[in-house]
Amino acid sequence: MATEVTVPTLGESITEATVGEWLKQPGDAVAQDEPIASLETDKVSVEVPSPVAGTLSEQLVAEGDTVEVGAVIAKIGEGAATGEPAAASATPEEVAQPAQDPGPEAEGISDESGPVTLSPAVRRAVLEHGVDPSKITGTGKDGRITKDDVIAAAKAKDSAPAAKATPSPAPAPSKPAAKVATTGERKEERVKMSRMRQTIAKRLKDAQNTAALLTTFNDVDMSAVMEARAKYKDVFAKKHGIRLGFMSFFVKACALAAKDVPAVNARIGGDEIVYHDYLDVSVAVSAPKGLVVPVVRSADAMSFAEIELTIADFGKRAKEGQLSMEEMQGGTFTISNGGIFGSLLSTPIINPPQSAVLGMHRIEERPVAIDGEVVIRPMMYLALSYDHRLIDGREAVTFLVRVKEALEDPMRLLIDL
């Protein structure tokens, strides 16, 4: 008797999701609690585990389909898989088809380490680009090959120099060969937006339509922070098991500045202003399908080590798609670090209902005037985007100045100045 696999509860107020990828195919053996599919919600990817051990006998929905919580998406049969699922009776048309090399579209492709399981989307990409999946190193969960891995391998193959072949002697042409004009192919690819990308697009546009967005800038000399990191990084790592990064300095500096300018850490609720006596920092981290913003709660009360450990854990689990909805809800202020991608300057967009976001950027050596002399210092541009309905320009500038002062003299973070 087959056991039904249903869409699990996805979190408060979330009633549906999109089937992102089938991790198991009909005929595959599955263990109890082994993931068989991944679902995309507005913010995270959720894996659907098998409720029993057995064989995946049927997929009732396709990748890209929208499914509701509690919907049946697959069935698990009893017993272990013995190979490919039994074929249905062939029609005369099917019998008449000549046998073809199954190639990489088979459910799995074997290499020296065993079978390589491919999702339908990945198999289509393998066929389209003509690459050998057994030679691709997967970057997906548990080393699975993704569509991006296939495209990257195809690009690498195309850019590799063609092997020199020994030319065979050709008969001399009776007349000069005509030059044949070649035209390059122009291709388009249409890919359905993921649910997460659709939500990001909607929220960002809503923020532009609702808030009176404005951005103010400043720059900060990062010498003191870099010297502190260089001096204490080994001792810090040995004691806390995590490296001392820049984010803990910025989080602490923002917590200090928010005490002087509480409007930056507030929000508009109807015709009221809601102030918070805590700082819950949404930290933008990169995930396979876009940026996500898990929340470091009560960051103002955390130590440097606690902040670094929390953010490192968020970053690791974001790449694995293991963040929960609860971890990305709330937040009173956002910090986004575009500098890790090389950004010099940007105007970040607030994350509603928050009223402000701080944008960090790359550090680069620039000439600056100090005490009447031009010196070279490691400088970073800071950008504060804010909702002008709540935060005045004076408050925004004051907040950035407080952050700048704390970073250029980190002792202020210790003595709460």
Side-chain angles (χ1 to χ4, degrees):
M1 181 179 178
T3 301
E4 295 181 339
V5 181
T6 59
V7 176
T9 301
L10 301 171
E12 184 180 354
S13 76
I14 298 179
T15 60
E16 62 180 24
T18 301
V19 180
E21 181 182 5
W22 280 104
L23 307 178
K24 293 289 184 178
Q25 301 302 317
D28 289 351
V30 294
Q32 185 172 359
D33 296 326
E34 183 179 8
I36 66 168
S38 66
L39 303 177
E40 294 177 2
T41 67
D42 291 350
K43 293 185 177 180
V44 293
S45 293
V46 179
E47 291 186 337
V48 181
S50 172
V52 295
T55 302
L56 179 60
S57 58
E58 189 177 1
Q59 295 173 348
L60 301 179
V61 293
E63 291 181 357
D65 286 356
T66 298
V67 291
E68 295 183 351
V69 172
V72 179
I73 62 172
K75 293 183 178 181
I76 305 295
E78 297 178 353
T82 58
E84 294 294 326
S89 299
T91 63
E93 289 79 4
E94 289 172 329
V95 173
Q97 294 295 328
Q100 297 180 1
D101 180 6
E105 69 270 24
E107 295 296 335
I109 295 177
S110 297
D111 61 13
E112 295 177 357
S113 60
V116 179
T117 302
L118 306 176
S119 70
V122 173
R123 290 200 300 276
R124 286 194 297 270
V126 166
L127 284 172
E128 179 182 346
H129 295 283
V131 295
D132 183 354
S134 66
K135 293 181 172 58
I136 299 176
T137 301
T139 61
K141 183 174 174 58
D142 299 327
R144 287 193 293 268
I145 298 173
T146 66
K147 184 178 179 181
D148 289 340
D149 295 332
V150 176
I151 295 173
K155 288 181 179 178
K157 184 183 72 170
D158 292 341
S159 62
K164 262 193 172 181
T166 305
S168 56
S174 57
K175 59 180 180 178
K179 290 184 178 179
V180 180
T182 59
T183 58
E185 277 192 83
R186 291 159 54 88
K187 293 183 178 180
E188 289 185 352
E189 181 182 9
R190 291 179 178 267
V191 180
K192 185 177 180 181
M193 291 176 68
S194 67
R195 179 174 291 272
M196 182 184 296
R197 176 52 58 185
Q198 292 178 46
T199 301
I200 290 172
K202 182 178 183 301
R203 286 178 60 83
L204 292 180
K205 190 57 185 172
D206 286 346
Q208 286 185 319
N209 293 339
T210 303
L213 290 176
L214 192 64
T215 304
T216 188
F217 304 93
N218 211 322
D219 61 0
V220 56
D221 183 348
M222 295 294 292
S223 299
V225 171
M226 294 174 72
E227 289 169 4
R229 291 182 70 219
K231 183 175 181 180
Y232 298 111
K233 65 178 182 179
D234 293 337
V235 177
F236 188 90
K238 183 176 180 181
K239 180 175 181 178
H240 300 293
I242 188 71
R243 74 181 186 90
L244 179 59
F246 289 117
M247 283 300 295
S248 52
F249 285 92
F250 276 86
V251 170
K252 298 294 282 186
C254 288
L256 191 65
K259 291 181 180 179
D260 290 344
V261 190
V264 172
N265 190 40
R267 61 181 173 86
I268 293 177
D271 59 355
E272 298 178 328
I273 299 175
V274 181
Y275 291 97
H276 308 97
D277 66 352
Y278 53 87
L279 183 74
D280 285 353
V281 179
S282 301
V283 181
V285 296
S286 183
K289 301 198 175 168
L291 288 178
V292 293
V293 280
V295 180
V296 181
R297 308 203 184 269
S298 299
D300 53 316
M302 283 185 167
S303 67
F304 279 72
E306 289 171 333
I307 293 170
E308 293 292 352
L309 287 166
T310 302
I311 294 175
D313 177 60
F314 282 156
K316 177 178 179 294
R317 291 192 291 119
K319 291 178 181 177
E320 298 172 350
Q322 296 298 316
L323 289 175
S324 68
M325 290 296 301
E326 290 74 15
E327 289 173 314
M328 290 186 288
Q329 292 175 337
T332 61
F333 180 79
T334 294
I335 297 179
S336 177
N337 185 8
I340 60 175
F341 303 110
S343 171
L344 176 65
L345 196 61
S346 67
T347 55
I349 298 180
I350 64 172
N351 181 21
Q354 299 173 21
S355 298
V357 51
L358 179 74
M360 298 166 56
H361 300 89
R362 76 169 185 254
I363 301 171
E364 66 174 10
E365 292 189 341
R366 293 199 299 271
V368 294
I370 298 179
D371 297 330
E373 294 184 359
V374 176
V375 296
I376 304 298
R377 292 295 176 89
M379 305 297 293
M380 177 193 288
Y381 287 118
L382 299 180
L384 182 74
S385 290
Y386 56 97
D387 188 345
H388 209 353
R389 296 178 303 165
L390 173 60
I391 302 169
D392 294 330
R394 176 183 60 83
E395 293 174 308
V397 171
T398 301
F399 179 88
L400 269 187
V401 169
R402 293 290 180 271
V403 171
K404 173 184 172 73
E405 291 172 342
L407 293 171
E408 292 183 342
D409 183 8
M411 182 60 72
R412 289 172 174 266
L413 300 175
L414 299 178
I415 60 178
D416 193 15
L417 183 59

